[in-house]
Every structure is written in structure tokens, then in C-alpha cells.
Amino acid sequence: MDNRLEWKSLLLKPFVFFTILMLLKLLIVWGVVFKPSGGAFWMTLVTGIPPVWFVFCLIESFLYKRKLGTYLIVDLLFTAVYFAVIMYYKYFGVIVTYHELRQVNQVSEVNSSVISLMDPYYLFIFVDIVLLAILLVWSRRVRNWGKGLSVRENRSLYAAGQVVALVVSGAFVLPHRDTMNELEQAQSMGVINYEVYQAFASSKDVKVNPQSITPEIIAQVKGESDPGQPVMWQAAKGKNVIIIQLEAFQNFLIDLKIDGQEITPNMNKLVRNALYFPHFFQQVGQGNTADAEFVVNTSLYVPPNGAASEVYADKDLPSMPKTLAANGYQTATFHTNNVLFWNRDQLYKALGWGKYYDDRFFGKTDPVSFAASDEVLYNLTADELEKFQKSGKPFYAQIISMSGHHPFRIPESKYKMQLPERYKGTLVGDYIQAQNYADFALGQFIAKLKQNGVWDNSVIVLYGDHQGLPIYSLNNTEKSLMKEIYGREYGLTDMMNIPLVISVPGAAPHVYEQVGAQSDIYPTVANLLGISLSNQVHFGQDLFNHNDNIIPERYYLPSGSFITEKGAFVPGAGFEDGTTYLLKGGRSTKPEVTKDEYERAHKLVSMSDQYVSSLPEWNKETH
């Protein structure tokens, strides 16, 4: 009996009691975040507990008079960090840090997407807080327990504990400061240690003098050679340019049939009659859709932290709208959401758009996701483009679709296909249903452009803005459905793979097998129009005249990741322990890429960061 009382007394000490709770919460973090990449459970615990003990020792030493309440507050703070890490990983596949706090104002707009990522068992992480709060209100016994804790324990013991916890935390942090892969870094340091470290960590960029960054130097780093007589030069000189950004549209949808049902018949028809790049990849960051707009229109890379539309919106950015306007084009961008979302009102000024159309133009009728449907978008936009053409000046228009937005739950009235039973109620099924509708709306747009005469006088560029089905979000059933679709395991390169389709008046259909990415669209369009970018800094390349490519990736994959024709390379602590995810599926731990390519990819993102940082701010007084 005495032994049981002693154990009970020990377990009810808040230091022990809340330590056990933290261990259970770290178990959940490990199961969601670190286990899928092969991380050891013991490592998550060993690295995760010292910073917790450091804070607990502070409570015991200095805040003992309100000990239980303070422990509960600290429990809530740690739990909030763990929960944020879990939820962010489920979509982006990376570890959230304080930098992402600037995105909090966007959560209300996409709350359905956030909720859809949540497995019910994640909420167990908050159960102790809720129960203790209830018991403190309703149970006198628990309140008396809390009052009885308000005594100072052995202060010297806890002071020594603080020192030991701090030293151990430092021993986990210091050796891993140079680790490139943030997922490995977070597990090696411990989640809380990693979050604290990131608040003070310096940039991973290679130092480059911004004044030395020129198109010639970038070409040297990328390994590009001058094509001499460029293919497709001026093939569409003087033509309109219409760029259609398809929400969450991945490349596997092209020619996909499920139980005999063609999922994207309009895109399939377009692919068969246009220029198609099947090995094309996203390059977005935290800003997703808005980042895609930025990358495509600047041929620059997204910032290391934050959305480009927020971090770079004050810069006087070189851009496709400005270049085409200087060559006689009128420019406009179309999006059914409010222009304030993702700070687009400022980004559009930085990019130099002549006009923008948002929900004030499209209205709020026929909603899908959180704005007017793609049918409304395309119908009203087609009328505006007809007016532009009648003005006699060529135009550049970018159109941002949105009906295929995560979590892909469109109204039943928009269903254009019947899902097989095995797909119903799954993220994969909802995704396919939504993209089938988005393709239907796109087909109406194409038909209207052909009817009003705009199509035949325009270069049409279509691409996906970013992935729709993150590997990290899929449950076992959904992974099985993707395996059925691919005929193999759904991999990282599949997730990052989006289509690029270019329709050029008079050009014969062709499939281009080289790899490319969103930063390549601007120079590729410039080549078609016969506009030289030789004096403008850009990090993409004209896909008609360059076959080799190094494509740095900044999000959804860890820092230091890049894509070549070999696949997607993801570093470990550095290059030597990295993994290459092959384009056709599977992975290789032997060096499929070279260290020189790894270093050049790292240098390219560093150059972009430092170049944009050196740009002057645009003059707000003139806008």
C-alpha cells in the first residue's frame, strides 16, 4: 500500500504529470510527422523533452505560487506548437516556424481546407487541457490539489535541472545547425529546440553580390548555352497572350480514365492539338496560388520564408506584364476572389498589371469553393477579352481558376460525372470530381474564345499552379487509389508534376520531353513573341531552346531540393546522404545527380533572394 501511495504521490507531482503528457503528445507528432520519413520514435522523445524540462524547472523555481495554472498555460503553448507542426506538415510536408505567423490572416478564407486535413485523433492532443480545465471548475478535490501544489520544492535541484536541460538542448542543436533538410533538422534538434533555433538562425543562402547577378552569370550557373538561332523565335509575334492558371491541376489527370470515364476531355483534346510538356513542375512556396502568379510573371524564385505576394510586394519587380506593356500590349489579370486576399492588390502593382478584375467584377453568384465558379470566371472574362481584341492592341491576360480548390467539395449541381463507389468520400475522389467540373468550365471558355475570334489570334498557355494531392495528406485508402491510377506508388515527383500546354496559332502539335518549371514560362513566351530578355534578370529558360535544366524547389520539399531530368533530389544533412526520387517513380540513395548540380541549385536560389532584396521599392505615390 505504501508503495502505491508513493507512486501516486510521485505521478501527481506536476513536473512528472505534465512530463508524461508531453511524451504522449510527442508520440502523436512522431506518428504524423517523423514516422513517414523513417524517423525513430526514441529520437523524437530524447530531443523533445529537454526544452520541456527547462521550462518546467523555471516554473518550479520561480512560479510555484500559481504552479498548476502556469503548467496548464505552458501545456497549452507547447500543445499549440505541436498541433501547428502536425497540421502544416499534413499539407506542405515541412515544419512550420514563426515565419508562417504572417499567414494567420488567410486561415479564415481557407478554413474548410484546414479542417479537411484533420484526422479526429489529432484532437486528442488537447484532451488533457480540456479535462483539467473542466475539473478545475467542477471538482473541489482538483482545486484543492492545485492549491496544495503552491509550495517551493528543492530550488537547487531544479536550478541544476535548468542547467542540464539547457546544456543537453545545446548538444542537440549545435551539431545540426548546417543540416539542409528541415525535417531531419527538427527531429535531430527536437521540435521545440528547432522552433527556438529558427527564430535566431541566419539564412542558408550563399552570399552573392547582387550587383554581379546578370542574365549571363545566371546562364553560366545553370549551364545554359546560347542557341544561336533560337527555335520558335517570333513564332507568335504580335499575338495576344492568354495564360490560364489551373487551380491544383496535376499532370496525372491528362488522359486519365476511371472505369472508362474520361476525367479531363477538354484538356486532353487541347494536349493532342498543342505543344505539351509532361515533365513540368511547380515552384511555389507558402503562398501557393499567389506564388505561382509571382514565379510565372517574374521568372524569379519564391522567398525562403513567407508568400512572395507579401514579402516581395513592395519591390519594383521586373515582370512579364511590364515587358509586354513596353512592347505595346494592354495587360489584365482575372481572379474571382477579392484582390486583398494574399495581398494581391500590392503584388499586382509591383508586377505592373494594367488592370485587375476581382469579385467586384465577377460578383458572388454561383459560388464554388469560396468565390464565383469557373463558369462565371470564364464567361465574363471571354467577353472582356473580346473587347480587348476589338481595341486593336494586342493584350496579355492571366486568368486564375479556382473551382478546383482544396478540399475539392463542389456543389452536387456541378457534378459532371458519377464517381465509382470506391472513390466516394475520399480526398482523391473529391479531387477528381472537382477537376472534372473545372475541365467542363474550361471547355466552355475555349468554345467561346473560338466563337468570338480571340482563340485564333492568341497564344494560349495553360499550367497547374500547384499540387492538389499532397502525399502527406493521404490516408491508406487514398494512397491505394493513387496506386491504382499510377500503377505504382504515388511519389514526390508525381506530386510536384503539373502540366504545361501551349497553343500557338499555326504550330503543329508536339510533345516536349525535357523538364521545365513555372519560372520557365516567361522566357518561353518571350521567345514566341520575339522579345529579348537578354538585359533582364530571370532564372527560368526558354523551353524550346534548352533541354537541360536545374529546377530549385523551395517548398513541399526541404531546402536544397532540386529537380533535373534524373528526378527530384532531396538532401539529408547535406548532399552525401540525400535521396533522388525518380521521375517514373521509386527512389535511389546512390548519387543520380552531382554535387556540382546541388551546389548550383543552392546558388541559384541564393542569387534570386539577394537580387530581389536589392531591388528598389515601387513608388506608391504614382499608383
Side-chain angles (χ1 to χ4, degrees):
M1 178 69 72
D2 289 342
N3 286 337
R4 280 193 294 177
L5 287 174
E6 287 178 10
W7 274 107
K8 183 179 179 180
S9 177
L10 178 64
L11 290 174
L12 287 177
K13 286 184 177 294
F15 190 99
V16 177
F17 180 76
F18 282 95
T19 293
I20 293 170
L21 292 178
M22 290 299 108
L23 288 171
L24 293 173
K25 295 178 186 197
L26 284 169
L27 172 62
I28 296 176
V29 173
W30 169 78
V32 177
V33 179
F34 299 118
K35 184 182 179 182
S37 59
F41 175 49
W42 67 266
M43 176 67 77
T44 304
L45 297 187
V46 168
T47 60
I49 285 300
V52 170
W53 279 353
F54 176 79
V55 176
F56 287 1
C57 286
L58 286 175
I59 296 173
E60 295 288 348
S61 297
F62 301 104
L63 299 168
Y64 59 91
K65 291 184 178 179
R66 288 184 171 82
K67 191 181 292 185
L68 183 58
T70 307
Y71 267 103
L72 274 172
I73 292 170
V74 170
D75 183 5
L76 179 60
L77 291 175
F78 281 148
T79 303
V81 172
Y82 297 147
F83 187 70
V85 166
I86 288 170
M87 295 304 296
Y88 209 76
Y89 175 82
K90 284 289 288 182
Y91 190 82
F92 287 106
V94 295
I95 304 294
V96 68
T97 68
Y98 81 99
H99 296 288
E100 282 70 52
L101 289 175
R102 72 186 81 196
Q103 289 184 268
V104 169
N105 64 324
Q106 314 294 348
V107 171
S108 61
E109 288 276 359
V110 293
N111 52 23
S112 59
S113 291
V114 174
I115 293 170
S116 73
L117 296 173
M118 191 184 303
D119 283 336
Y121 81 87
Y122 297 168
L123 295 177
F124 280 119
I125 206 167
F126 290 106
V127 164
D128 63 306
I129 299 169
V130 174
L131 287 178
L132 281 170
I134 292 172
L135 289 172
L136 280 171
V137 172
W138 293 103
S139 172
R140 179 179 296 177
R141 187 176 179 182
V142 173
R143 287 198 299 273
N144 289 336
W145 170 60
K147 290 176 182 177
L149 298 175
S150 299
V151 294
R152 177 179 286 178
E153 303 280 354
N154 188 330
R155 188 169 183 177
S156 59
L157 176 64
Y158 286 111
Q162 291 173 48
V163 173
V164 172
L166 192 61
V167 169
V168 173
S169 292
F172 289 135
V173 169
L174 294 176
H176 302 288
R177 289 173 297 168
D178 296 327
T179 297
M180 286 297 289
N181 186 320
E182 290 85 357
L183 206 58
E184 289 197 12
Q185 192 175 42
Q187 182 162 32
S188 299
M189 289 183 173
V191 172
I192 299 300
N193 286 334
Y194 174 78
E195 296 295 339
V196 174
Y197 170 76
Q198 283 298 319
F200 302 98
S202 56
S203 170
K204 293 180 179 179
D205 279 354
V206 178
K207 296 299 180 185
V208 181
N209 180 357
Q211 304 305 316
S212 70
I213 301 172
T214 65
E216 293 77 18
I217 295 299
I218 295 169
Q220 288 177 23
V221 176
K222 287 177 69 72
E224 294 177 16
S225 57
D226 187 348
Q229 295 294 324
V231 176
M232 300 291 285
W233 175 255
Q234 296 187 345
K237 184 176 177 60
K239 298 293 184 183
N240 304 319
V241 176
I242 302 173
I243 291 184
I244 305 171
Q245 183 169 291
L246 300 171
E247 174 64 40
F249 197 99
Q250 291 183 225
N251 191 60
F252 76 88
L253 294 165
I254 303 296
D255 285 332
L256 175 65
K257 291 183 179 180
I258 294 180
D259 292 359
Q261 297 182 88
E262 195 175 10
I263 305 305
T264 58
N266 293 297
M267 273 292 284
N268 297 344
K269 183 178 179 181
L270 186 58
V271 164
R272 289 191 292 270
N273 292 281
L275 312 175
Y276 172 46
F277 296 81
H279 303 306
F280 193 75
F281 296 91
Q282 69 178 55
Q283 285 181 296
V284 299
Q286 291 170 231
N288 269 346
T289 298
D291 275 356
E293 294 174 70
F294 168 82
V295 174
V296 166
N297 282 292
T298 62
S299 194
L300 301 169
Y301 302 136
V302 294
N305 297 294
S309 58
E310 295 177 332
V311 178
Y312 291 159
D314 63 338
K315 295 296 183 179
D316 189 4
L317 299 167
S319 71
M320 185 152 42
K322 291 178 182 176
T323 297
L324 268 60
N327 283 269
Y329 279 71
Q330 49 189 322
T331 66
T333 182
F334 299 79
H335 194 318
T336 55
N337 205 341
N338 189 282
V339 74
L340 297 179
F341 190 46
W342 282 118
N343 200 40
R344 281 187 174 92
D345 60 326
Q346 300 304 303
L347 175 65
Y348 289 168
K349 292 172 184 175
L351 292 174
W353 284 108
K355 299 175 74 173
Y356 67 78
Y357 295 77
D358 69 345
D359 60 354
R360 290 171 295 180
F361 173 76
F362 291 105
K364 300 182 185 297
T365 59
D366 195 32
V368 173
S369 190
F370 40 87
S373 69
D374 280 2
E375 289 175 88
V376 172
L377 166 72
Y378 290 138
N379 184 48
L380 296 181
T381 298
D383 292 339
E384 287 298 296
L385 299 187
E386 184 179 14
K387 294 176 186 176
F388 288 173
Q389 178 154 284
K390 288 179 178 178
S391 74
K393 286 181 65 177
F395 64 81
Y396 165 36
Q398 184 168 35
I399 302 154
I400 314 299
S401 76
M402 201 164 63
S403 291
H405 197 285
H406 192 278
F408 318 117
R409 291 170 186 160
I410 62 174
E412 287 190 24
S413 60
K414 299 297 184 185
Y415 288 2
K416 303 301 176 184
M417 65 173 291
Q418 182 64 39
L419 275 176
E421 197 62 36
R422 64 190 182 279
Y423 282 85
K424 291 181 179 178
T426 68
L427 182 65
V428 175
D430 291 344
Y431 175 76
I432 286 170
Q433 187 90 265
Q435 295 299 347
N436 174 256
Y437 165 69
D439 180 81
F440 165 80
L442 176 65
Q444 292 186 323
F445 184 51
I446 292 172
K448 192 164 185 178
L449 292 184
K450 289 181 176 179
Q451 183 181 22
N452 67 19
V454 172
W455 183 271
D456 291 335
N457 195 38
S458 304
V459 174
I460 316 288
V461 180
L462 302 95
Y463 64 93
D465 60 352
H466 55 77
Q467 54 70 35
L469 296 172
I471 291 175
Y472 329 105
S473 301
L474 304 182
N475 60 34
N476 289 333
T477 298
E478 291 157 350
K479 287 177 182 177
S480 296
L481 292 173
M482 295 305 290
K483 186 174 183 179
E484 174 189 321
I485 288 169
Y486 275 93
R488 55 171 173 75
E489 297 293 334
Y490 177 55
L492 283 180
T493 52
D494 305 319
M495 178 183 75
M496 305 290 283
N497 184 202
I498 55 176
L500 172 65
V501 183
I502 305 177
S503 173
V504 180
H510 188 76
V511 177
Y512 292 84
E513 297 292 343
Q514 63 263 42
V515 296
Q518 288 164 330
S519 59
D520 298 324
I521 290 177
Y522 180 11
T524 301
V525 169
N527 177 68
L528 287 170
L529 300 179
I531 297 173
S532 174
L533 298 184
S534 61
N535 293 320
Q536 184 173 130
V537 168
H538 59 283
F539 287 83
Q541 60 193 46
D542 168 23
L543 293 176
F544 294 119
N545 290 284
H546 299 284
N547 292 321
D548 297 327
N549 211 342
I550 293 178
I551 301 167
E553 293 292 349
R554 200 143 222 182
Y555 237 63
Y556 295 98
L557 299 179
S559 294
S561 301
F562 66 98
I563 296 173
T564 71
E565 71 279 359
K566 298 291 186 182
F569 175 79
V570 177
F575 172 76
E576 287 73 15
D577 58 343
T579 301
T580 303
Y581 295 83
L582 307 176
L583 292 187
K584 296 297 184 182
R587 67 179 72 181
S588 173
T589 54
K590 66 179 182 179
E592 299 288 342
V593 299
T594 67
K595 189 171 185 179
D596 176 63
E597 289 174 319
Y598 169 72
E599 291 173 346
R600 285 192 284 143
H602 189 191
K603 187 173 183 179
L604 285 167
V605 293
S606 301
M607 291 169 72
S608 178
D609 292 346
Q610 290 162 53
Y611 170 73
V612 179
S613 295
S614 72
L615 291 173
E617 295 185 4
W618 51 269
N619 188 347
K620 296 183 179 182
E621 294 179 1
T622 62
H623 285 74

